[in-house]
Amino acid sequence: MTSPTDTVLSDLDTDRAHRIYRHLHAHPELSMQEHATADLVAAELEELGIGHFRCGGTGVVGVIRNGDGPVVAFRADTDGLPIAEDTGLEYASTATGTLEDGTVVPVMHGCGHDTHVTSLLSAARALTSHPDTWSGTLVLVFQPGEEVAAGARAMVDDGLWERAPLPEVVLGQHVMPLRSGTVDISHGVAMAMADALRVTVYGKQSHGSRPQSSIDPIVLGAHVITRLQTIVSRELDPRTPAVVTSGTFHAGLKENIIPDRAEFTLNIRAFEPEVRERVLAAVRRIVSGEAAVSGAPEPLVEEIYSFPRCHNDPVQAARVESALRDGLGEGNVSVAEPVMGSEDFGLLGEAVGVPSVFWMFGGFDLAPGEEAPVNHSPDFAPAMGPALATGTRAAVAAILAYLGTDPRG
């Protein structure tokens, strides 16, 4: 009896997978706007004879029932990013999308979600082609809106786990600038919590020649941003990881007008809930305090999004790690430290009290000492064949850790 892990690279319809990948890469869609992507996923599931339903707006859920056994869920995210692609690929994206404020932006799969979707579809094809090698139920979760921390919540709120079988574990993976064929997996915390804030500080407008008549919000904002950098460097134990980043700053319309307000955005990351709360409290204290020192009105602090912590259940992570070592080779799997990147994946299991496991897989053919472009870069372009082979093989191996049957039995 042949297992899907034995055939996934040789018998899988590789040409079809590559065709799907090229199409997805060339036609990315912004978060929570993944309509054409959802249509493509639904069509592929239909072709495989997999029952499916829409969930959370542009999410798609497929359910493969194959006899008695456990229920396992596997998630792939589907959204692109507002980035102008600069990879030079023949199938590079020239797509555009519209942000919530009406701004038209270029769109790119700059985080590899096209790889995730294609790998999960390929894993589903491998498993449905070998139904005698596994038993149980597999829930395929094609989730929108990961980049804005909206998709997992939207699917849960839309009754994901009332409409799909409740899993005993939720699995997921992410392509990274690592050597293809390799996997990094963490036990315990895998990825950080993240909060994004929009801060508006207010001043008093005046002519640039009369600064004494103004309260300058640009100077105020500059002091706030500078002072925020002391939270990690001076308020936290040096052994405590955290990040406070200001990614945008907007103020004024003309060089000789001191404006009446300035707006900037912040990104805050931490591994532990108590550290997160301490940093957020410090941000609000500093923003308010600097405004008071400047004689300015109280600033407005608004939440843009909040990512939960991505936590790998240690027992289930050990089980998946063992399966990945069997499927990809002992020397190709490493136990890794948590990363400061963030994911809303953890919410899918957390919402119903079931464990989850998330790992990183390599998607680049790298020479010794060579570094790949990082995620969210305009140059991010996994090597299609090796990346899909790694993602598909890893997905199948992890799924079979729960649903596989002994081919000798």
Side-chain angles (χ1 to χ4, degrees):
M1 185 180 294
T2 303
S3 165
T5 52
D6 299 326
T7 63
V8 70
L9 298 181
S10 56
D11 295 343
L12 184 66
D13 188 351
T14 302
D15 288 342
R16 186 182 188 93
H18 289 187
R19 190 162 60 250
I20 292 170
Y21 175 81
R22 289 191 189 97
H23 180 85
L24 289 171
H25 189 89
H27 300 90
E29 296 171 290
L30 292 173
S31 303
M32 307 307 290
Q33 301 178 34
E34 309 92 335
H35 301 286
T37 302
D39 288 343
L40 181 149
V41 168
E44 289 300 311
L45 295 178
E46 189 77 27
E47 193 271 337
L48 289 171
I50 299 172
H52 57 278
F53 59 89
R54 300 297 176 99
C55 184
T58 46
V60 180
V61 180
V63 180
I64 311 175
R65 291 181 170 88
N66 189 39
D68 297 331
V71 179
V72 173
F74 201 110
R75 177 274 219 165
D77 41 7
T78 65
D79 50 332
L81 286 160
I83 298 174
E85 182 164 353
D86 193 27
T87 63
L89 294 170
E90 61 178 358
Y91 50 89
S93 170
T94 58
T96 60
T98 304
L99 300 176
E100 287 187 0
D101 64 3
T103 304
V104 176
V105 294
V107 187
M108 174 194 178
H109 267 303
C111 204
H113 296 186
D114 46 354
T115 309
H116 306 165
V117 172
T118 308
S119 294
L120 186 53
L121 287 172
S122 297
R125 182 173 292 274
L127 290 163
T128 55
S129 298
H130 298 85
D132 55 341
T133 65
W134 64 282
S135 183
T137 298
L138 176 61
V139 181
L140 308 167
V141 180
F142 295 91
Q143 181 212 300
E146 182 277 329
E147 294 291 352
V148 295
R153 172 57 64 188
M155 297 189 82
V156 169
D157 289 348
D158 197 24
L160 168 61
W161 300 127
E162 288 79 45
R163 302 164 66 187
L166 187 66
E168 68 174 47
V169 66
V170 184
L171 307 175
Q173 61 182 1
H174 203 298
V175 67
M176 296 292 281
L178 306 170
R179 181 173 57 82
S180 60
T182 65
V183 165
D184 281 357
I185 186 169
S186 301
H187 293 213
V189 178
M191 302 184 78
M193 296 170 286
D195 295 272
L197 303 176
R198 180 181 295 107
V199 180
T200 305
V201 293
Y202 302 100
K204 181 180 178 183
Q205 187 164 315
S206 178
H207 195 288
S209 66
R210 292 186 57 83
Q212 73 275 19
S213 299
S214 76
I215 299 176
D216 192 333
I218 295 178
V219 173
L220 166 56
H223 277 284
V224 170
I225 291 171
T226 300
R227 183 65 180 269
L228 289 176
Q229 296 308 308
T230 66
I231 296 174
V232 175
S233 66
R234 288 297 178 267
E235 296 193 34
L236 297 182
D237 187 307
R239 296 164 295 184
T240 302
V243 173
V244 179
T245 294
S246 179
T248 67
F249 191 105
H250 301 285
L253 297 173
K254 198 172 187 299
E255 79 289 341
N256 64 348
I257 300 174
I258 296 171
D260 68 346
R261 67 189 62 198
E263 178 185 287
F264 53 91
T265 54
L266 302 174
N267 188 253
I268 295 129
R269 296 173 184 268
F271 290 136
E272 301 300 332
E274 59 272 18
V275 177
R276 171 184 178 267
E277 292 303 323
R278 184 173 179 181
V279 172
L280 286 173
V283 167
R284 293 181 180 275
R285 186 193 76 236
I286 289 170
V287 169
S288 181
E290 289 289 349
V293 169
S294 298
E298 182 66 21
L300 175 64
V301 180
E302 302 170 280
E303 181 181 286
I304 302 173
Y305 59 73
S306 181
F307 280 94
R309 180 170 60 173
C310 184
H311 184 272
N312 285 347
D313 178 87
V315 173
Q316 303 305 323
R319 184 173 182 174
V320 171
E321 179 194 339
S322 177
L324 292 172
R325 291 187 186 279
D326 288 343
L328 280 79
E330 180 68 30
N332 291 323
V333 179
S334 302
V335 176
E337 294 296 316
V339 298
M340 273 293 176
S342 299
E343 263 283 351
D344 64 351
F345 162 80
L347 181 63
L348 296 174
E350 182 182 294
V352 285
V354 301
S356 57
V357 183
F358 194 79
W359 61 90
M360 312 297 182
F361 69 93
F364 292 81
D365 283 339
L366 299 174
E370 183 183 6
E371 293 187 0
V374 298
N375 304 69
H376 291 216
S377 160
D379 303 311
F380 187 78
M384 179 175 60
L388 294 177
T390 304
T392 304
R393 182 173 286 277
V396 170
I399 291 165
L400 291 181
Y402 296 90
L403 304 183
T405 57
D406 188 341
R408 297 165 298 181

